[in-house]
Amino acid sequence: FTADQQMKSLSSVLPFYQGFHGEKGGSKNCYGANGAYMYVKVPVGTLVKEDGKVVADLTQHGEEYVAAYGGAGGKGNRFFLSNENRAPTLFTPGEPGQERVLDLELKTTAHAGLVGFPNAGKSSLLRAISSAKPAVGAYPFTTLNPHVGIVHYQDYEQVAVADIPGLIKGAHQNRGLGMAFLRHIERCRFLLYVVDLSVSQPWIQLQDLKYELEQYKKGLSERPCVVIGNKIDLAQSRINLPLLKEQIDDRVIALSALTGDNLEELLLHLRELYDTYVKTEQSRGQSPVKW
């Protein structure tokens, strides 16, 4: 398997691949050729599992994992040369390749993850800041799979933002979409908490979101983040905004994904989070994920 950043899903990966056997040896000192290489391209962020155990985690473009070894070539007649047999005619056939059954799982690799309860406005926000077109609707779980939108900046930098399926209380116990939501958050470098400002006590949403993340994986809720107070175009939201800021320490950006109010502040801060991530990775000698 070869991780390729041009691949965005596992849909093109076939359920079965037949490699090549080694070729038989021959006379005139000819050894048989080994089985030829076969490469299967998979998206960056692909997990390779065998019997439920992770055997490879392809997180960088160009990273490879040998899923199965091809057949070794047969031995030519020279292999059987000895003092007793000066003109051997023996050779061996090529060997069959290795057989394995592997499971592939893709964890979305994005710079930022939109985290929020159903109908908080994540999909609308992703549509507003990128060219991604996730489904939008006034009912829970409109988004059943992660969508990744790319935010383009004038210096050609690109920030990938994932609209992760909404969760409910108890998601870490696999309620609702459960693990289908949480496993993708692990790969996000920073988080954008989206809360509905129009509901009563919107800070409770943030507390519940962070609790679910922390229960799933310790330290997940402590990643760099910003709180997005959505639906500021509603009268009740404007009343709740100062109350939210009093209750939490995180930075709050109030906006409306529907009308586009104050999206510029979010885009500027998103770039700040991205630049900080890039500098941190480079200081560690790591290569930051690029889109």
Side-chain angles (χ1 to χ4, degrees), residues 18 30 53 64 78 99 158 174 186 196 219 226-227 272:
Q18 171 88 39
C30 291
K53 181 181 178 182
E64 295 182 356
R78 184 179 177 84
E99 292 186 10
Q158 299 181 136
N174 213 22
E186 290 184 71
D196 183 350
V226 64
V227 177
E272 291 175 8

Side-chain angles (χ1 to χ4, degrees), residues 194-219:
V194 183
V195 299
D196 183 350
L197 277 178
S198 66
V199 302
S200 176
Q201 298 182 314
W203 53 90
I204 300 297
Q205 295 176 56
L206 182 62
Q207 294 171 5
D208 290 341
L209 289 169
K210 289 191 173 185
Y211 174 79
E212 292 299 328
L213 296 188
E214 199 63 23
Q215 291 301 305
Y216 174 70
K217 184 177 181 179
K218 189 172 179 60

Side-chain angles (χ1 to χ4, degrees), residues 82-225:
S82 67
N83 289 332
E84 291 75 25
N85 187 359
R86 305 302 298 176
T89 58
L90 295 174
F91 55 86
T92 61
E95 298 179 1
Q98 184 182 14
E99 292 186 10
R100 293 178 77 184
V101 177
L102 300 169
D103 295 311
L104 301 183
E105 177 183 315
L106 177 61
K107 288 188 176 181
T108 302
T109 301
H111 300 115
L114 292 169
V115 186
F117 288 116
N119 291 341
K122 300 183 303 301
S123 296
S124 297
L125 182 58
L126 190 65
R127 278 174 169 258
I129 63 175
S130 75
S131 58
K133 302 299 180 187
V136 175
Y139 52 90
F141 304 131
T142 306
T143 305
L144 298 178
N145 294 292
H147 292 269
V148 178
I150 308 299
V151 181
H152 299 270
Y153 289 90
Q154 290 184 343
D155 59 356
Y156 302 106
E157 284 286 7
Q158 299 181 136
V159 179
V161 181
D163 170 21
I164 309 294
L167 80 165
I168 61 174
K169 289 185 180 180
H172 69 279
Q173 298 171 329
N174 213 22
R175 293 177 184 167
L177 297 180
M179 303 309 180
F181 156 82
L182 290 164
R183 66 185 181 191
H184 294 285
I185 292 296
E186 290 184 71
R187 294 286 166 88
C188 295
R189 274 57 182 185
F190 40 91
L191 304 177
L192 310 178
Y193 292 102
V194 183
V195 299
D196 183 350
L197 277 178
S198 66
V199 302
S200 176
Q201 298 182 314
W203 53 90
I204 300 297
Q205 295 176 56
L206 182 62
Q207 294 171 5
D208 290 341
L209 289 169
K210 289 191 173 185
Y211 174 79
E212 292 299 328
L213 296 188
E214 199 63 23
Q215 291 301 305
Y216 174 70
K217 184 177 181 179
K218 189 172 179 60
L220 200 54
S221 67
E222 298 173 3
R223 292 195 180 172
C225 70

